[in-house]
Amino acid sequence: MIGWPQFLKFGVALFLTSFGPALFWWLDGRPVALPDAPTGKLQCVSYAPYRAGQSPFDAGFTVPRWQIEQDLALLARHVDCVRTYATDQGIAEVPAIARQVGLKVMLGAWIGGDSANNARQIADLIRLANAYPDVIKAVIVGNEVLLRREQSA
């Protein structure tokens, strides 16, 4: 027969192991009110123009200009800037279209294990940054290449 102190310890232990994690996740998962952005828009969002059935891993695919125009026109109502990750597959059109709809661009170059493609990405990045200095507010070169271990530091 167990006494009251042992029963109480068992009850507390049962509560903490059964309901403690549930309480933690319930508290952690509650909605949090965020303050509005001063302009009513987000500062910048990542933009990859691929839709269902389209993939950046399909080397022969080019995103149609009209699709980027649709996307950026929609995004311009909600954000001030888009961040891209490459310059190929039609994404080099983003700065020109962004200018038309009033967006800024943080333009990325996808760097990987293919040195010829890396050279093209960097050349495109330089060309676009020079052609659209009013639109391109930053360039980003190979930010994930070290994570993927395709290049060394």
Side-chain angles (χ1 to χ4, degrees):
M1 184 173 251
I2 63 171
W4 182 248
Q6 290 85 7
F7 180 74
L8 187 58
K9 285 181 187 177
F10 175 76
V12 169
L14 179 64
F15 174 79
L16 291 176
T17 58
S18 299
F19 300 107
L23 179 63
F24 170 80
W25 289 115
W26 178 78
L27 289 171
D28 193 48
R30 289 179 302 159
V32 176
L34 297 175
D36 285 334
T39 64
K41 294 181 175 183
L42 296 173
Q43 286 185 343
C44 203
V45 295
S46 292
Y47 173 63
Y50 305 99
R51 295 186 181 174
Q54 301 173 347
S55 171
F57 302 112
D58 178 357
F61 177 71
T62 299
V63 179
R65 183 180 171 94
W66 64 263
Q67 183 174 310
I68 297 171
E69 288 171 345
Q70 280 183 350
D71 291 347
L72 295 187
L74 175 64
L75 286 169
R77 296 187 300 207
H78 305 285
V79 303
D80 293 320
C81 163
V82 293
R83 188 259 201 253
T84 65
Y85 291 86
T87 59
D88 57 353
Q89 295 185 313
I91 300 171
E93 296 291 330
V94 168
I97 299 166
R99 178 186 277 162
Q100 293 171 356
V101 298
L103 287 171
K104 299 294 184 192
V105 176
M106 295 173 66
L107 192 64
W110 187 266
I111 302 300
D114 179 345
S115 60
N117 186 59
N118 294 346
R120 279 191 300 276
Q121 291 276 330
I122 292 170
D124 285 345
L125 193 74
I126 293 168
R127 177 182 57 79
L128 292 166
N130 286 327
Y132 299 95
D134 57 318
V135 174
I136 297 174
K137 66 183 214 172
V139 294
I140 303 157
V141 181
N143 68 306
E144 295 176 1
V145 70
L146 298 176
L147 176 68
R148 294 188 317 267
R149 299 175 197 243
E150 292 176 325
Q151 296 284 332
S152 67

